[in-house]
């Protein structure tokens, strides 16, 4: 598992756009399986905003309650793309806690 994940992450960070997309595709199909590693990568990724955005998209695709804290925290992000992926991820999760986080963010004006 780790080798496949690490190889896909290297591909996602490639300067070759097709290789980066291919890496994303490899992770997309197994987002739930790789969720702990995706959460760790998201926490540690500070340099590449595109990779960070992709990671949050993948975290949302996992549709796991374990993703809730990260997704909910990104509702307050200064980065609009991260906020959007957080909304999509929480909507897909569709738990009471996810709906509450979305409701609060809308009530606070953080998201439309």
């Amino acid at each position: 598992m780790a080798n496949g994940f690490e190889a896909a992450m290297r591909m996602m960070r490639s300067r070759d756009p097709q290789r980066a997309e291919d890496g994303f595709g490899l992770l997309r199909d197994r987002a739930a399986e790789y969720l702990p590693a995706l959460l760790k990568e998201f926490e540690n990724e500070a340099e590449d905003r595109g990779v960070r955005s992709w990671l949050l998209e993948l975290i949302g695709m996992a549709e796991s309650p374990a993703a809730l804290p990260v997704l909910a925290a990104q509702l307050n992000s200064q980065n609009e793309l991260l906020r959007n992926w957080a909304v999509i991820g929480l909507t897909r999760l569709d738990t009471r806690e996810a709906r509450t986080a979305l409701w609060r963010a809308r009530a606070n004006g953080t998201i439309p």
Side-chain angles (χ1 to χ4, degrees), residues 1-17:
M1 175 174 120
N3 289 339
F5 178 80
E6 292 167 6
M9 284 303 303
R10 280 193 302 278
M11 290 172 71
M12 271 182 49
R13 289 187 171 101
S14 173
R15 293 178 191 227
D16 176 350

Side-chain angles (χ1 to χ4, degrees), residues 28-77:
R28 179 187 56 230
D29 297 337
R30 299 172 77 181
E33 177 184 343
Y34 289 138
L35 183 60
L38 289 167
L39 291 167
K40 185 175 180 178
E41 286 291 327
F42 182 79
E43 180 182 318
N44 294 329
E45 182 61 56
E47 293 181 26
D48 191 324
R49 291 176 58 162
V51 170
R52 190 164 167 80
S53 175
W54 264 350
L55 288 167
L56 192 61
E57 182 179 357
L58 291 165
I59 289 166
M61 287 179 178
E63 296 182 19
S64 169
L68 179 73
V70 169
L71 293 169
Q74 293 309 306
L75 292 173
N76 296 312
S77 174

